[in-house]
Amino acid sequence: MTKPILEVKDLAKYFGGVKALDGVTLEVPERGVIGLIGPNGSGKTTLFNVVTGFYVPTRGEVWYAGERIDGLNPNEVFLKGLVRTFQIPRLFPSLTVLENVLLTPPRQVGERVLTAPFRSKWEKQEKELARKAVALLRKFGLGEYVRARVSELSAAHMKMIETIRGLITDARVYLLDEPAAGVAYTTARELFTFIKRLRDEEGLTFFIIEHRLEVLMDFVDYVYVLHNGRLLSEGKPDEVMSDPKVIEAYIGR
Amino acid sequence: MLPSFDILGFLVSWGTFLGIYAILAISLNLEVGLTGMANFGKVAFYGIGAYLAASLSVYTVLAVYHVAAAPYTTEGIIALGKYGGASPALDLGIFAASLMLGFIIAGCVGYLLTYPTLRVGPAFLGITLLAFGELLRIFLLNYQPLGASKGLSGIPHPFLWIPDPVLRERLYVLVVLGFLAVTLWFAERITNSPFGRVLKAVRDDEVAALCMGKHVPRVKATVLFIGSGMAGVAGVLLAFYMSSVNPNMFVPAVTFNIWAMVILGGMGNNKGAVVGAAIITFVDRILTFITPNLGITIITPDYIRWMIVGILIVLVLMFMPGGLVPEKPIKTPAWEAVESLEKESKEGGSGGGEA
Ligand SMILES: Nc1ncnc2c1ncn2[C@@H]1O[C@H](COP(=O)(O)OP(=O)(O)OP(=O)(O)O)[C@@H](O)[C@H]1O
Ligand SMILES: [Mg+2]
């Protein structure tokens, strides 16, 4: 594999007595599509939360592109080029689908209060972004929802848009928390096909939490398995799926 | 019916209050309606603007004319009356300086107050600001250099050198409405921009906005700077119109009055804020104009006024939950780009969809 772009070293996060993460070390290579699986409550979302600056780790380090990023605020992590999505979609309900996508690019000229009143200063950028956003939505079969309010969307579409809106930025690493949850099987496969295409064509990196292994396993290069806040197993999809420890953790205790 | 009713005089007086209150309502709408920050201390920034204008003007006039008396003493007030209209350049200069300083100082206080509270949590913001407003009023009630409970009077009207008081008031209403126009223009422009999009995102879901790389505390502090600055300007305009200020003009009820305007007009819509301000100041002005003619003694006009405002709000919200002018989607050039794309793909014929 190529050099890692994201590294997690001996990462721990305790909530009182709950050891949500307890010494996890893993790496995500550049241009990888890497899976993160594990039973409910195994610490997957917590790992994302620590990596993206929501929580300060109890112990351990997070490195991104050669820089230590643990302790940064979520907005700073985003600006480094790390985008996340949420397990329960968090779109902005009073904005349209297009605006939800348009909000994503950082440091827009028109987002500064002193330039905002003067349309001519940001009109060109805004239109360019709009064209990019529409192209992105169309590419993904969501062209008809450009003008829709988020509240008019199905849960599946919300998930998709949450993933897509990160793609308008030049961020390089995407942390997706269960992108295929609540999405129809064929749509989920489309989504993952699209993700692979983005990796191949744009050189993006994906780190994906997913419960739907039947979809995930066909698309990822490598998988990490968490269990009770620790790394239980890792490897190529078929290796992991045939690992007795993984089977046991998933089937019962 | 009411032979003493002077329609033009009424319009001038209504227009002045409308202008001042609409600026306040627009500023509150930016904070509450668009960014979701419940500011219960709006009156404080209004008061800062008014007291800044009052103190700056009376102390400057007394200093320029070498009057040793303090502005709140009888000699001081007499001197202010004597020298007030003596120099057009001085009066206009004081007015301009007050407007600028009123915006900057009220804005900075808003900014500084919110920075610590933004870190504590959103619920604390409203309460902190409410408490700050009351603290400020109690301070003013007791601070002698600013006239304590009697306040300051003899503030020189910027057009005091014009002998005809009617013409003076007519000119002043135009100035106030001019400021309203600029405020509305600015508010509408920033609402319909990428900045406005960020504000609505912060209102909808702060945490998600943070994750999208937006510096939420800075966004909020910026809005409070602007909103407080606008309220400061409104206060300056009030002080020069009334020619006197006192602490009882800045009770918490003023804040709730502005809230009523925003709710009535439509949360999240700047034009709605103006409509709400127009309606409520109209009720106010009508009541003050007609009460002397009615001779009501049992119920005070203030009582009737709050009843009317309450009934209006209940009725409007029953039938129009979004207010009289509900929030509108953000308009940016993005939609023009979308329209031209949609036209292109239609002209492209049946090949649309996958390219
Ligand atoms: N903020 C918090 N405070 C206290 N405990 C927490 C917090 N966040 C997570 N936990 C606990 O940490 C453990 C791991 O939770 P986490 O959400 O990371 O699991 P997960 O692997 O994402 O599960 P799922 O598959 O259900 O999404 C759980 O026991 C959870 O209750
Ligand atoms: Mg989870």
Side-chain angles (χ1 to χ4, degrees):
Chain A
M1 275 194 278
T2 51
K3 69 176 168 63
I5 186 158
L6 180 68
E7 279 176 278
V8 164
K9 293 179 186 168
D10 188 31
L11 201 65
K13 180 68 195 172
Y14 301 164
F15 297 105
V18 180
K19 296 182 173 180
L21 286 178
D22 195 13
V24 175
T25 300
L26 54 79
E27 53 185 55
V28 176
E30 197 157 6
R31 290 171 166 261
V33 177
I34 308 299
L36 179 63
I37 65 168
N40 289 107
S42 55
K44 304 181 297 293
T45 299
T46 304
L47 181 81
F48 274 21
N49 280 336
V50 174
V51 169
T52 55
F54 267 85
Y55 299 137
V56 177
T58 310
R59 185 179 81 230
E61 298 172 4
V62 182
W63 289 77
Y64 171 74
E67 232 184 305
R68 198 165 159 185
I69 61 163
D70 53 273
L72 292 186
N73 289 323
N75 56 319
E76 295 166 329
V77 173
F78 177 91
L79 295 177
K80 296 263 178 228
L82 250 164
V83 181
R84 79 172 293 185
T85 68
F86 288 91
Q87 196 163 346
I88 300 155
R90 287 180 93 148
L91 296 168
F92 302 101
S94 65
L95 301 181
T96 59
V97 168
L98 180 76
E99 286 161 341
N100 266 277
V101 180
L102 285 178
L103 188 80
T104 319
R107 301 191 190 92
Q108 293 175 42
V109 180
E111 280 183 358
R112 289 198 300 264
V113 69
L114 290 178
T115 40
F118 308 104
R119 212 162 259 229
S120 57
K121 291 211 161 79
W122 47 266
E123 181 166 0
K124 204 166 144 253
Q125 184 186 44
E126 176 82 355
K127 284 184 169 170
E128 239 160 61
L129 286 174
R131 280 190 286 270
K132 255 171 114 176
V134 171
L136 200 60
L137 288 164
R138 282 185 181 169
K139 194 166 173 180
F140 219 46
L142 292 163
E144 59 183 300
Y145 297 107
V146 167
R147 291 164 189 279
R149 291 265 172 150
V150 169
S151 51
E152 296 159 18
L153 296 175
S154 68
H157 283 148
M158 284 195 199
K159 276 271 170 202
M160 290 163 65
I161 287 159
E162 209 189 13
T163 311
I164 283 171
R165 74 177 163 175
L167 302 175
I168 197 174
T169 66
D170 41 12
R172 291 152 76 201
V173 176
Y174 290 80
L175 305 185
L176 310 181
D177 199 344
E178 302 196 28
V183 177
Y185 181 74
T186 45
T187 319
R189 290 196 74 87
E190 272 168 36
L191 182 70
F192 274 91
T193 309
F194 184 61
I195 287 168
K196 274 220 121 139
R197 224 172 91 200
L198 283 166
R199 188 268 300 271
D200 297 339
E201 292 169 12
E202 319 279 338
L204 303 180
T205 305
F206 290 91
F207 192 27
I208 307 171
I209 296 178
E210 192 51 78
H211 273 297
R212 294 177 65 181
L213 306 184
E214 79 281 11
V215 183
L216 183 82
M217 291 305 179
D218 291 343
F219 292 93
V220 287
D221 317 325
Y222 201 81
V223 184
Y224 289 100
V225 188
L226 276 184
H227 188 41
N228 293 334
R230 287 167 172 279
L231 218 52
L232 181 73
S233 175
E234 63 180 281
K236 296 249 153 50
D238 48 339
E239 292 164 15
V240 165
M241 290 308 273
S242 55
D243 184 337
K245 285 187 302 218
V246 176
I247 295 166
E248 199 201 310
Y250 263 93
I251 292 170
R253 47 187 72 196
Chain B
M1 205 173 71
L2 295 170
S4 64
F5 197 90
D6 161 20
I7 289 191
L8 197 58
F10 171 81
L11 286 178
V12 167
S13 143
W14 176 40
T16 311
F17 279 99
L18 185 163
I20 291 170
Y21 272 95
I23 293 173
L24 289 167
I26 290 170
S27 76
L28 185 70
N29 181 54
L30 287 178
E31 295 162 356
V32 181
L34 291 163
T35 321
M37 292 182 290
N39 184 348
F40 292 125
K42 193 86 241 178
V43 69
F45 307 100
Y46 186 40
I48 288 174
Y51 262 84
L52 177 110
S55 49
L56 183 75
S57 57
V58 298
Y59 278 102
T60 309
V61 168
L62 293 181
V64 166
Y65 291 97
H66 306 289
V67 179
Y72 44 86
T73 58
T74 317
E75 302 100 277
I77 293 169
I78 289 169
L80 284 168
K82 188 169 148 203
Y83 297 120
S87 159
L90 182 65
D91 290 347
L92 289 171
I94 289 173
F95 184 57
S98 300
L99 285 165
M100 268 187 291
L101 284 174
F103 183 88
I104 293 168
I105 291 179
C108 288
V109 173
Y111 188 90
L112 292 175
L113 268 182
T114 54
Y115 229 78
T117 44
L118 291 179
R119 276 144 218 277
V120 185
F124 288 83
L125 182 75
I127 304 301
T128 309
L129 290 174
L130 177 68
F132 171 70
E134 275 298 85
L135 274 175
L136 184 73
R137 192 171 66 86
I138 289 161
F139 167 77
L140 290 173
L141 268 173
N142 295 288
Y143 189 60
Q144 193 53 54
L146 293 179
S149 62
K150 290 213 192 74
L152 293 171
S153 52
I155 301 163
H157 193 284
F159 304 130
L160 201 56
W161 39 277
I162 296 174
D164 179 9
V166 176
L167 180 61
R168 215 186 282 157
E169 295 226 328
R170 285 184 195 166
L171 276 177
Y172 196 69
V173 74
L174 294 179
V175 171
V176 171
L177 292 178
F179 273 94
L180 169 60
V182 172
T183 308
L184 182 63
W185 173 85
F186 179 78
E188 278 290 282
R189 281 299 186 99
I190 61 171
T191 303
N192 291 300
S193 78
F195 181 71
R197 195 156 62 211
V198 174
L199 299 190
K200 289 194 180 184
V202 169
R203 178 189 69 185
D204 281 0
D205 188 339
E206 274 184 45
V207 171
L210 202 62
C211 275
M212 293 286 107
K214 309 306 172 199
H215 196 308
V216 175
R218 193 190 296 148
V219 169
K220 288 179 159 185
T222 304
V223 172
L224 275 151
F225 175 80
I226 297 169
S228 304
M230 286 176 173
V233 167
V236 171
L237 293 172
L238 177 84
F240 283 103
Y241 180 66
M242 303 298 281
S243 86
S244 67
V245 294
N246 69 69
N248 286 333
M249 288 159 75
F250 305 103
V251 291
V254 176
T255 299
F256 295 111
N257 202 18
I258 305 164
W259 272 80
M261 292 169 182
V262 174
I263 293 169
L264 187 67
M267 276 274 180
N269 192 314
N270 300 310
K271 288 175 191 144
V274 177
V275 171
I279 292 172
I280 292 183
T281 51
F282 182 78
V283 171
D284 271 348
R285 288 298 98 198
I286 282 283
L287 283 173
T288 27
F289 261 71
I290 66 174
T291 353
N293 299 313
L294 294 180
I296 295 176
T297 48
I298 308 161
I299 311 173
T300 67
D302 208 38
Y303 212 80
I304 302 180
R305 160 186 202 283
W306 282 109
M307 261 166 50
I308 295 176
V309 170
I311 290 168
L312 269 177
I313 289 183
V314 170
L315 281 181
V316 167
L317 293 191
M318 263 168 65
F319 298 104
M320 308 174 82
L324 289 169
V325 192
E327 185 177 336
K328 300 262 173 355
I330 293 170
K331 264 195 241 109
T332 70
W335 295 110
E336 294 158 28
V338 169
E339 260 154 39
S340 61
L341 277 176
E342 282 171 351
K343 220 184 266 164
E344 271 169 39
S345 56
K346 262 190 211 120
E347 279 159 13
S350 55
E354 264 85 353

